[in-house]
Structure formats: structure tokens, C-alpha cells
Amino acid sequence: MANVLHTVFGVFGNIFGLFLFLAPMITFKRIITKRSTEQFSGIPYVMTLLNCLLSTWYGLPFISPNNILVSIINGTGAGLELIYVIIFLIFAPKKEKAKVFGLFVFVVTFFSTIALVSMLALHGKKRKLLCGYAAMIFSIIMYGAPLSVMRMVIKTKSVEYMPFFLSLFVFLCGTSWFIYGLLGKDPFVYVNNGFGSALGAAQLILYAIYRGKQGEKVPIAENGDLEMEANESSKKKQTHAV
């Protein structure tokens, strides 16, 4: 029964994770249409790519057994994030392009180093520990990205910059993988996703508190997602003014 539930929650994690990885498509549709990255930041996509690569590697059978579902969704995520990074590099201005490309080179180098060291220098438990800690740390960093958005919600007393469905899928994805990790007795899966689940729950609580309230308006966004929301909000105001 435990094995069945383990698989079931892994499948749920794949479904909800796919929604999370597809969420930036709206942003990149805008970038392609305008042929400009405007004020969007490419850094979150490069760092998410690193997280996906490390998690995909960790889930492979020769690193950690019974975690192939982890590799499936993160392999899919890595492919999507790579597409996002390439599109960003095509349309970004020269200075931003150089910064993002430099970070991309670092990501590829770092992942390649972890992969080579784990295969050539380590075996058994030591190999799993190296790959597990690397995947867990960068997964926590990925989940922690919305903290700036939550700070903005509290500051402005408005959920204008925190889309409900994105928060919902952070919670559902984190919770699914948290339970999956507990059932599989794998701390490298349940620790980071437990953090993600708690963070998603906190976002939903903030949404319930500030939903429908008109808070302060913040003219300068703090990250790519906020920039998109701020630009859209500004456009709507201009349309109504006309």
C-alpha cells in the first residue's frame, strides 16, 4: 500500500510541477511578441534550470533508487527552462544578455562538475549524499524566490502582485513531493518540498487575508513576475484613462 501511495503522490507531483514549469509561458509569449525582454529578469529561469538538472540527476536509478518520477518532471522542467533561457538570450539587450549567459555557463559548469565527480570519484552512499545535498539546496533556493513577492504583499496590503493559481500550484506541488519523500523515507525530497509546501500555504493565507483589498501602489517591481504584473496593471490604467 505504501508503494502505491508513493507512486500516486509522485504522479500528482508531476502534474502540479508541470503547471509550475509552464507558468512562465505567458511572460515569454509577451517577450516574443514585443521582441524585447523589457525589464524582466532572466536570472530566475537560469537558476531554476540548475535546480531541475540537479534534481533530474539525483532521481536517476544509479544515484537514488525508486525516484524516477523525480527525474521525469525535472527533466521536463529542465527542457522548458532551457527554452526560456534561449528565448531570453535572443531578445535581451547586450548587457543583460552577457550577465544571463555568464550565469548560464556557470550553471552548466557546476552541474557538469557535480555529475562527473559523482560518477568518477564517488560510489554508493557518498554519491547519493553529494547529489542529494546539491539538489536539495537549490530546490530550496527555487522555492524561496517568491519571498520577495510575499514581502511586497504585506507591504502593499494587496495581492495584485501574487497570482492565486501560481501560489496554489506551489502549495500542491510542494505538498505532493513532501508526502512522496516521507513515504519513500528520502530527506533529500521531503525537506526541501516541505519548505515549498509551507511557503505555498503562507502565500495562500496572505491571499485570503488581503484578497479584494486596495493597497498601496508600488511603481517599481522587484523581480520578473512583479514586473509583468506591474506593467499589465499600468496598461489597464492607461486604457481606462483614455
Side-chain angles (χ1 to χ4, degrees), residues 10-59:
V11 172
F12 283 152
N14 272 254
I15 294 171
F16 298 136
L18 183 60
F19 278 106
L20 275 180
F21 290 133
L22 289 175
M25 288 185 71
I26 298 173
T27 299
F28 283 91
K29 181 180 178 182
R30 176 188 174 111
I31 288 173
I32 293 172
T33 300
K34 295 199 169 189
R35 303 185 66 80
S36 170
T37 58
E38 300 178 272
Q39 299 301 312
F40 296 121
S41 172
I43 294 175
Y45 307 105
V46 184
M47 296 309 296
T48 302
L49 172 62
L50 176 57
N51 168 67
C52 289
L53 289 171
L54 291 170
S55 296
T56 300
W57 187 253
Y58 174 73

Side-chain angles (χ1 to χ4, degrees), residues 12-229:
F12 283 152
N14 272 254
I15 294 171
F16 298 136
L18 183 60
F19 278 106
L20 275 180
F21 290 133
L22 289 175
M25 288 185 71
I26 298 173
T27 299
F28 283 91
K29 181 180 178 182
R30 176 188 174 111
I31 288 173
I32 293 172
T33 300
K34 295 199 169 189
R35 303 185 66 80
S36 170
T37 58
E38 300 178 272
Q39 299 301 312
F40 296 121
S41 172
I43 294 175
Y45 307 105
V46 184
M47 296 309 296
T48 302
L49 172 62
L50 176 57
N51 168 67
C52 289
L53 289 171
L54 291 170
S55 296
T56 300
W57 187 253
Y58 174 73
L60 294 174
F62 53 83
I63 303 293
S64 65
N66 304 318
N67 275 327
I68 193 63
L69 288 172
V70 174
S71 291
I72 290 174
I73 185 57
N74 283 285
T76 302
L80 289 170
E81 297 300 328
L82 180 60
I83 292 172
Y84 297 151
V85 172
I86 291 173
I87 293 173
F88 192 91
L89 288 173
I90 291 173
F91 295 107
K94 187 176 294 185
K95 185 176 180 181
E96 184 70 13
K97 185 179 296 187
K99 181 171 67 174
V100 171
F101 182 73
L103 184 59
F104 175 73
V105 171
F106 164 77
V107 163
V108 173
T109 303
F110 183 83
F111 169 70
S112 299
T113 301
I114 293 292
L116 288 173
V117 170
S118 65
M119 288 301 296
L120 301 177
L122 301 174
H123 303 281
K125 188 176 180 179
K126 289 183 179 179
R127 175 186 292 174
K128 182 178 180 179
L129 286 174
L130 172 67
C131 299
Y133 275 117
M136 182 174 68
I137 290 169
F138 282 96
S139 180
I140 290 174
I141 291 173
M142 183 188 75
Y143 274 127
L147 285 172
S148 61
V149 183
M150 294 172 67
R151 181 162 56 90
M152 184 67 67
V153 170
I154 295 171
K155 181 179 179 181
T156 63
K157 296 180 172 57
S158 169
V159 294
E160 181 180 1
Y161 304 115
M162 190 174 70
F164 171 75
F165 285 106
L166 187 59
S167 299
L168 177 63
F169 285 118
V170 167
F171 172 71
L172 292 175
C173 181
T175 301
S176 297
W177 287 116
F178 172 66
I179 297 174
Y180 173 91
L182 285 177
L183 292 171
K185 299 179 181 179
D186 191 336
F188 296 122
V189 176
Y190 69 69
V191 170
N192 49 322
N193 285 289
F195 174 77
S197 177
L199 195 62
Q203 290 179 46
L204 293 175
I205 291 171
L206 284 177
Y207 195 92
I209 294 172
Y210 295 112
R211 179 173 59 91
K213 294 186 178 181
Q214 294 294 325
E216 303 174 19
K217 297 299 179 184
V218 180
I220 300 177
E222 294 191 6
N223 60 30
D225 292 331
L226 295 186
E227 287 160 358
M228 180 176 69
E229 295 294 333

